[in-house]
Amino acid sequence: MSHEASLRYRHLGIDTAHEYVVYMNAGCHICRAEGFAAQTRLEVHGNERSLIATLNTVHSSLLSIDEASLSVSAQQALGVQAGDALRFSHVPVLASESDLRAKIYGQRLDATQLAGIVADTVNGRLSDLHLAAFVTACAGDRLDIAETVALTRAMVGAGARLSWQREPVVDKHCVGGLPGNRTTPIVVAIVTAAGLTMPKTSSRAITSPAGTADTMEVLAPVDLDLAAIRRVVEQTGGCVVWGGGMQLSPADDILIRIERPLNLDSDGQLVASILSKKISAGSQRVLIDLPVGPTAKVRSSEVAERLAQRLQQVGAALGLAVDSIITDGTQPIGCGIGPALEARDLLRVLQNQADAPVDLRERALLLAGRVLEMGGVCAPGEGSLRARALLDSGLAWQQFQAICAAQGGLRDVPHAPLTELIVAPHAGSVRQIDNRVLARIAKLAGAPASAAAGVDLHVKLGQPVEAGQPLYTLHAEAPGELRYAARYASEHGGVIEIAHD
């Protein structure tokens, strides 16, 4: 490509999140000569690197006719600086685009076709528009078992894959949708105290008030590189770290980003998402927690049973032993909703404090017991007793401290400087708690970006309350966030429904 076909890079600092965008003056010679127009997909070359980006045209003096700019993510990917030359070419025809159209029209895709779509997704060749079409075409259970297996295998193959010297490697995962359900650090402590290996890679919040990694980060560093993770696991048998920086099933991270605004989460894609991450992390035996409730992610036992069966079938096809457990998802687990408040709860459980949330303790013991049984530590039906003994004796707490120390040191839990109490408007009993609205209130209060922000829940389903009795407390670090959360709470008084006596 000739020098005349280049434009000088000018930094504008436009943040488009993960999407690569290139900006040109609509009257520049390249647009005219090549027929480029807004939304054209271009291959951009600079600094001996290349990527595919979507063109946005500028009809003002923001860019001169010999300049081009890039979104922040694209600029960082190419590593170009102000004044560097950028060159442009048409994107070659992608086979994955044809395969994507076939799926839109209801055709089955084979392993080669799905592998091509996943590879082009990871390499940035498909736009968010393409990916939204793919996610939509696969929704509504339009991925059969064979396609789900192929998609999962392709997602594993497109990223890094960890391996461990110890066996068996166990793990657990919750499909989500339940505020405060922060059992993972407790389960890891119990299971590794029993001698099993559980290198837990967890996610940060996407649409929730806290992910496991956000909560664990309150207590210890979680952004560890692979060498550090291996050191922690060798020392303690387990870890609780953020998995986002290790390129484990990177296609999953991209597809989740597309799915969330669309509020689409088909069985096939959910299974591929969960299992690709587990296989990539080196897991061999995995327990899946499926909370069921009217405001949880899984709304009925029938859907949960179907999902559990597909998880088991796909896992078996890929050499992964999968067991599922259907749990109560009608209300939050624990009291705290938000990183620091959830960290406080799990510490109370691990330290066997008198004010530890009973439901969080019992849920963690149930899950840990099943993982112990899957790992062969004890016979079926005896896991919960063994888990309870490890927790009651203090061994799980000692183990958790050792894991935190190996990850960089146990930290103190921060407290929010601002709080506001929400009380019952009348006497009665708690008939319903809306998980989704309560989670939104916690986010408006500042969680998870403000670690100490969130909601502290004071009641449970069926509990009798008096008029003026505390229902929950808002925690915030900024007055504006407390005000927004309180306003939203007042507009949604039914978040906790009180039935009259």
Side-chain angles (χ1 to χ4, degrees), residues 345-491:
D345 281 357
L346 71 88
L347 286 181
R348 288 175 176 174
V349 171
L350 284 166
Q351 294 169 354
N352 292 301
Q353 295 183 20
D355 57 353
V358 175
D359 56 349
L360 178 62
R361 174 185 167 89
E362 294 303 317
R363 179 73 61 98
L365 288 172
L366 173 67
L367 298 172
R370 289 285 286 270
V371 174
L372 290 175
E373 293 169 11
M374 291 182 71
V377 168
C378 50
E382 298 179 1
S384 290
L385 288 174
R386 181 67 185 279
R388 193 177 301 275
L390 290 165
L391 182 60
D392 290 346
S393 67
L395 290 175
W397 169 232
Q398 292 177 22
Q399 178 69 5
F400 185 75
Q401 292 178 88
I403 291 172
C404 288
Q407 290 186 199
L410 183 62
R411 299 164 170 165
D412 293 330
V413 178
H415 300 278
L418 304 172
T419 61
E420 183 166 333
L421 190 63
I422 307 298
V423 301
H426 55 80
S429 59
V430 179
R431 181 163 61 185
Q432 180 175 318
I433 299 176
D434 192 316
N435 290 313
R436 296 190 176 194
V437 175
L438 206 55
R440 179 158 181 77
I441 292 171
K443 289 193 293 181
L444 288 171
S450 299
V455 169
D456 203 10
L457 188 63
H458 304 308
V459 295
K460 293 292 181 181
L461 283 175
Q463 179 179 331
V465 296
E466 299 295 331
Q469 182 175 330
L471 297 178
Y472 57 95
T473 302
L474 304 176
H475 291 243
E477 297 185 22
E481 290 173 334
L482 182 66
R483 185 167 57 251
Y484 292 141
R487 182 186 305 162
Y488 189 84
S490 67
E491 293 171 352

Side-chain angles (χ1 to χ4, degrees), residues 131-363:
L131 297 179
F134 177 65
V135 165
T136 304
C138 295
D141 297 327
R142 286 192 284 268
L143 285 176
D144 62 24
I145 292 293
E147 286 177 303
T148 305
V149 170
L151 178 60
T152 307
R153 183 177 283 117
M155 290 167 69
V156 172
R161 188 166 179 178
L162 305 182
S163 60
W164 307 96
Q165 298 299 317
R166 306 168 177 233
E167 289 189 357
V169 180
V170 297
D171 203 348
K172 59 83 60 176
H173 177 83
C174 179
V175 299
L178 199 59
N181 190 24
R182 204 54 61 214
T183 57
T184 291
I186 304 170
V187 173
V188 171
I190 293 172
V191 167
T192 56
L196 289 175
T197 301
M198 191 170 177
K200 179 65 180 170
T201 59
S202 298
S203 61
R204 296 188 184 277
I206 300 173
T207 60
S208 68
T212 297
D214 300 308
T215 298
M216 186 65 184
E217 193 170 41
V218 171
L219 300 170
V222 297
D223 191 4
L224 277 61
D225 60 25
L226 183 54
I229 292 170
R230 290 195 181 280
R231 174 183 53 78
V232 173
V233 174
E234 287 172 4
Q235 289 179 9
T236 68
C239 63
V240 184
V241 298
W242 177 55
M246 290 181 284
Q247 288 297 297
L248 303 178
S249 187
D252 180 47
D253 299 323
I254 297 168
L255 292 177
I256 285 175
R257 174 171 57 83
I258 300 298
E259 288 169 346
R260 294 304 184 192
L262 296 172
N263 197 27
L264 291 176
D265 207 359
S266 69
D267 282 4
Q269 287 174 323
L270 179 61
V271 169
S273 170
I274 293 170
L275 298 189
S276 67
K277 275 288 200 294
K278 299 307 173 189
I279 295 169
S280 297
S283 302
Q284 298 168 323
R285 305 174 192 180
V286 179
L287 177 67
I288 308 295
D289 179 14
L290 298 166
V292 175
T295 57
K297 180 180 289 188
V298 181
R299 305 292 181 84
S300 70
S301 296
E302 292 76 20
V303 172
E305 293 283 2
R306 186 178 70 238
L307 188 56
Q309 184 177 22
R310 181 171 289 202
L311 283 160
Q312 189 173 20
Q313 289 178 312
V314 175
L318 296 169
L320 184 67
V322 179
D323 192 12
S324 300
I325 182 168
I326 297 175
T327 56
D328 181 12
T330 56
Q331 62 181 326
I333 300 299
C335 302
I337 303 170
L341 293 169
E342 293 174 18
R344 176 207 63 191
D345 281 357
L346 71 88
L347 286 181
R348 288 175 176 174
V349 171
L350 284 166
Q351 294 169 354
N352 292 301
Q353 295 183 20
D355 57 353
V358 175
D359 56 349
L360 178 62
R361 174 185 167 89
E362 294 303 317
R363 179 73 61 98

